[in-house]
Amino acid sequence: MTYGKIPDDVIEAVRRHHDIVDTVSKYVHLSKNGKYMKGLCPFHSEKTPSFTVTPELQIFHCYGCGKTGNVIRFVEEIESYTFPEAVRELAEQAGIPVTWANPDGAKPTAADADRNAILEAHELTAKFYHYLLNNTQYGTEAKEYLRGRGFGDKLINQFMIGYAPTQWDTLSNFLSARKYDPSLMEKGGLLSAKSDGSGYVDRFRGRIMFPIWDRDGKVTAFAGRIIGEGQPKYLNSPETMLFTKSRTIYNLHHARPAIRKSKQVVLFEGYMDVIKSWSAGVKNGIATMGTALTEEHCTILARQAEEIVVCYDGDDAGQAAAMKSIPMLEGAGLRVMVSMLPKGKDPDEYITEYGPDAYLREVIDQPATTTKFKLIYSRKNHILLKEEGRKNYLLEAAGIVAELDSAIEREVYLQELSREFNFPLEVLKQDCHIKHQELQKKKPGRDNNDNSWNNGRNENRRRSGPPVLLPAYTYVERRLLHVMMRDRDVALSVHDKLGDAFNIEDHAALAAYLYAFYAQGYDPDAGRFIASLQDERLERTAAAILMMDGDFPFDDAILEADIQDIIKVPKFREIDRKKEEMMQAERAGDHLLAAQMLSEIITLERQLKGTT
């Protein structure tokens, strides 16, 4: 969609309506820490909380990955929105009219018009298919099939399930009668061009239709399941400007409230499992669409939850897919568990045979750890009745257990293996220890690898090392900017006496932006000022400065002393440079040049004394 310029008063109203602590708390568990709120960063994997929210300033800042900003920026980052999308979302939540999109006189681009038409057609098509299923003879067989699978009317309506008749042109005629361009509908994945080029036919025919929604709850694609025999059994929409399989997560918009509340998500293989599990009480279930789990899926899920339960089919293909998903999900920072279904069963079949209560109690609420699952999966590849099979399994099992960081957990699993196979525990422990040591040597630093301080294993190392000392003027400039961002009068005084003559480039830039901010008539407002910078590096610097301890004393005398300290820095640098030149002249035997340098040094030093 094309957006007009969003009025400043709207952005300000949105910011003021949404308290940043309330908004962030929907995604991050925050704990009070003095005047700050702290939690684990939702934007990168970490063990030690480095994500800080300052209620007073209405900003967030992560000392690990550097993400920073106000409530609008947080929603941008967490939901992967553009700035206009984030403002629009927050405005709608606050009941603020969205009047800036396509304002009077502003025409949408051709791409916007196509996108809107395809989106409207998908919404209309979902309602059309749903109507055909519930209210016409076309849907009779499909309705009976669904009821036989345990899909009642409430579930059918909740998920807008529909039916595409077997005729070639039912949807084509429906959309054409409503003036939708058939060639555009083909681009949108609803129709298919005839091979002879004479027109278009319905892409989906003779299938039960399941709408696929985007994160905002808008229909962007369909999945169709054939009734009875036939191939392909499942048919999804092709990728379009609305639908990208590698980023689409089925049912996420329905499941998001339950996921946020529990911090847990259940990952299924397909939409049928999601819907049937929903009917059994699993409100945090989702699935990928017609594609294997991708890194993009994992990143999206890690922003929504802390723990994921993988509930794939109990057949060999499902278990192999679960094994493949574990390292990807763990790599995204999620705690992974695996639900164990009987061999050959999928969630839909288990619920039908044993009932919802047994499903929740024995499958969803009792998942196995990834280590337990890996051990069970490994057993299937070895013939344990033979000595060679038992030996190979124990070797493989020791390697699996060696991946665990906790010595206690390793001990528990090794004891189980020792008892089950009547094998000496000490031998297992020795082999496991060797493998564990090898893995530790190969293992990169955890959490944020570029910031080893943010790593539980490195805490002692961090505390025992000497702190990094910055030049004194760095702290002086940061302290001065800290006060300037909170006090307009101090900023105006610094403008008159110092201007942008800060010694650190980013500090000089921040000062210049701050002078301009106040010149526009704004009062001190950290969130608004940071948003005005539109430069991630400066935003991070400003947030870090604002979050310094502001309880240090400050008055006119300190202000004057700080300005003088900043002004002196170039002269000290010049003195150091001339001393180096004097030493080089002396080493070269050029005593005349050395004397000249000494004279200039003395003059500069006198000038410095005169400013004290």
Side-chain angles (χ1 to χ4, degrees):
M1 169 169 290
T2 296
Y3 292 88
K5 185 180 186 305
I6 304 176
D8 288 342
D9 59 340
V10 171
I11 295 173
E12 185 63 11
V14 165
R15 246 186 3 98
R16 293 194 178 279
H17 184 276
H18 291 276
D19 179 79
I20 195 165
V21 174
D22 293 340
T23 300
V24 172
S25 294
K26 295 176 183 178
Y27 303 85
V28 180
H29 176 69
L30 296 174
S31 301
K32 190 167 180 59
N33 189 318
K35 61 184 179 181
Y36 306 116
M37 306 292 288
K38 297 197 75 173
L40 294 174
C41 181
F43 305 119
H44 79 288
S45 173
E46 64 178 8
K47 306 293 184 185
T48 308
S50 61
F51 183 83
T52 304
V53 177
T54 310
E56 175 196 0
L57 302 175
Q58 288 292 297
I59 62 173
F60 72 92
H61 180 68
C62 178
Y63 290 95
C65 67
K67 296 286 188 184
T68 194
N70 59 22
V71 68
I72 299 173
R73 172 54 65 87
F74 179 81
V75 172
E76 274 188 79
E77 296 285 350
I78 201 75
E79 295 289 359
S80 298
Y81 285 154
T82 62
F83 178 78
E85 287 173 341
V87 174
R88 183 189 183 100
E89 173 69 17
L90 291 170
E92 289 177 344
Q93 290 178 19
I96 298 171
V98 178
T99 58
W100 63 88
N102 291 331
D104 292 340
K107 294 183 178 180
T109 65
D112 287 337
D114 287 352
R115 181 183 179 86
N116 289 339
I118 293 172
L119 193 58
E120 288 174 3
H122 273 80
E123 294 282 350
L124 193 59
T125 298
K127 294 175 183 177
F128 180 55
Y129 284 150
H130 187 61
Y131 175 83
L132 293 177
L133 175 72
N134 286 319
N135 300 286
T136 72
Q137 62 180 3
Y138 294 119
T140 302
E141 182 185 1
K143 196 75 171 285
E144 290 176 355
Y145 172 84
L146 287 169
R147 284 178 172 157
R149 294 285 299 270
F151 286 65
D153 289 344
K154 183 177 180 180
L155 206 59
I156 289 171
N157 292 332
Q158 167 83 38
F159 289 90
M160 282 292 289
I161 301 172
Y163 179 69
T166 55
Q167 287 80 2
W168 289 82
D169 56 3
T170 305
L171 181 64
S172 176
N173 291 336
F174 176 80
L175 293 175
S176 294
R178 284 153 183 80
K179 308 303 181 185
Y180 286 98
D181 179 3
S183 64
L184 184 60
M185 296 301 99
E186 183 200 13
K187 290 180 182 177
L190 294 173
L191 304 180
S192 298
K194 291 182 179 179
S195 58
D196 61 5
S198 62
Y200 299 87
V201 296
D202 298 357
R203 177 177 178 81
F204 297 97
R205 300 183 303 278
R207 292 178 180 273
I208 297 173
M209 300 300 294
F210 299 84
I212 300 170
W213 297 271
D214 66 9
R215 64 190 177 195
D216 298 321
K218 292 180 170 54
V219 180
T220 58
F222 288 93
R225 189 189 193 284
I226 201 165
I227 302 174
E229 299 300 320
Q231 292 297 327
K233 185 177 181 181
Y234 298 100
L235 179 66
N236 292 333
S237 293
E239 294 209 347
T240 67
M241 64 175 68
L242 300 183
F243 177 55
T244 305
K245 294 177 184 178
S246 63
R247 292 200 301 266
T248 300
I249 297 177
Y250 180 75
N251 199 48
L252 183 59
H253 79 294
H254 278 146
R256 188 180 279 124
I259 293 171
R260 286 175 179 168
K261 184 176 180 180
S262 65
K263 298 296 182 184
Q264 182 196 69
V265 62
V266 182
L267 174 62
F268 296 102
E269 281 194 73
Y271 48 85
M272 292 288 281
D273 294 333
V274 170
I275 297 172
K276 197 64 178 288
S277 295
W278 180 282
S279 71
V282 182
K283 306 300 184 184
N284 56 341
I286 54 89
T288 54
M289 289 307 308
T291 184
L293 188 71
T294 67
E295 297 289 348
E296 289 171 294
H297 290 140
C298 295
T299 299
I300 294 169
L301 293 174
R303 289 180 175 176
Q304 307 291 329
E306 296 173 1
E307 179 179 274
I308 186 163
V309 177
V310 179
C311 188
Y312 284 178
D313 295 354
D315 58 15
D316 291 342
Q319 299 304 285
M323 274 292 290
K324 189 176 180 180
S325 73
I326 290 171
M328 296 174 65
L329 293 165
E330 289 180 336
L334 286 157
R335 182 170 61 253
V336 185
M337 304 290 282
V338 184
S339 286
M340 305 295 292
L341 283 160
K343 185 174 178 60
K345 296 286 185 187
D346 61 28
D348 181 11
E349 293 167 338
Y350 192 98
I351 294 168
T352 300
E353 187 168 342
Y354 300 104
D357 291 342
Y359 176 65
L360 291 175
R361 184 177 62 253
E362 298 173 14
V363 178
I364 300 299
D365 293 340
Q366 297 294 328
T369 64
T370 54
T371 301
K372 187 70 175 177
F373 174 73
K374 289 175 183 177
L375 290 171
I376 293 171
Y377 186 81
S378 173
R379 292 175 74 104
K380 299 176 182 178
N381 299 320
H382 301 283
I383 302 174
L384 300 182
L385 293 175
K386 296 184 178 181
E387 183 177 346
E388 183 71 10
R390 290 194 298 273
K391 180 199 74 174
N392 290 335
Y393 170 67
L394 286 173
L395 285 169
E396 195 169 306
I400 292 170
V401 175
E403 296 174 2
L404 293 167
D405 290 323
S406 169
I408 294 175
E409 289 185 84
R410 295 198 298 272
E411 179 80 12
V412 168
Y413 285 110
L414 293 176
Q415 285 184 0
E416 288 182 2
L417 289 167
S418 175
R419 285 193 297 269
E420 182 181 359
F421 290 92
N422 192 26
F423 198 84
L425 176 61
E426 289 305 315
V427 176
L428 288 173
K429 288 173 68 174
Q430 182 179 4
D431 192 66
C432 182
H433 178 73
I434 293 171
K435 294 178 185 295
H436 180 71
Q437 292 295 103
E438 291 174 352
L439 289 171
Q440 290 299 108
K441 291 176 182 178
K442 298 176 183 178
K443 200 171 186 180
R446 288 175 292 180
D447 297 342
N448 190 337
N449 294 333
D450 293 330
N451 295 281
S452 61
W453 60 269
N454 183 24
N455 180 338
R457 194 175 61 191
N458 292 333
E459 282 295 304
N460 292 333
R461 186 190 319 165
R462 172 168 61 94
R463 283 193 291 266
S464 61
V468 177
L469 295 177
L470 298 173
Y473 65 81
T474 301
Y475 296 103
V476 172
E477 292 186 359
R478 289 168 67 87
R479 179 177 65 188
L480 191 55
L481 283 166
H482 175 95
V483 179
M484 290 167 63
M485 284 188 275
R486 291 169 174 264
D487 192 316
R488 179 191 180 101
D489 291 337
V490 170
L492 295 179
S493 181
V494 174
H495 174 268
D496 294 338
K497 297 178 180 180
L498 184 66
D500 62 353
F502 287 77
N503 295 288
I504 295 174
E505 183 180 348
D506 283 356
H507 294 174
L510 283 177
Y513 275 109
L514 194 58
Y515 300 148
F517 182 78
Y518 287 136
Q520 294 175 63
Y522 296 125
D523 292 324
D525 185 326
R528 190 168 195 163
F529 173 64
I530 289 176
S532 74
L533 296 173
Q534 298 184 348
D535 181 291
E536 288 191 16
R537 190 177 73 180
L538 290 181
E539 288 174 4
R540 289 195 298 268
T541 304
I545 290 172
L546 278 163
M547 298 177 79
M548 293 167 57
D549 185 357
D551 296 331
F552 44 72
F554 195 86
D555 55 26
D556 290 343
I558 294 175
L559 169 61
E560 191 62 35
D562 284 351
I563 290 174
Q564 291 303 320
D565 285 343
I566 294 169
I567 290 173
K568 289 176 183 178
V569 171
K571 293 182 179 178
F572 280 122
R573 289 174 175 168
E574 181 67 8
I575 288 171
D576 290 340
R577 186 180 66 79
K578 289 187 179 296
K579 284 181 176 179
E580 179 63 29
E581 290 180 2
M582 184 180 71
M583 292 174 61
Q584 290 177 359
E586 288 176 344
R587 286 196 293 267
D590 190 344
H591 301 296
L592 182 61
L593 179 58
Q596 181 184 336
M597 290 296 105
L598 178 60
S599 175
E600 292 177 6
I601 290 168
I602 292 171
T603 300
L604 287 170
E605 288 177 339
R606 284 174 179 168
Q607 290 174 359
L608 280 173
K609 288 179 181 179
T611 60
T612 56

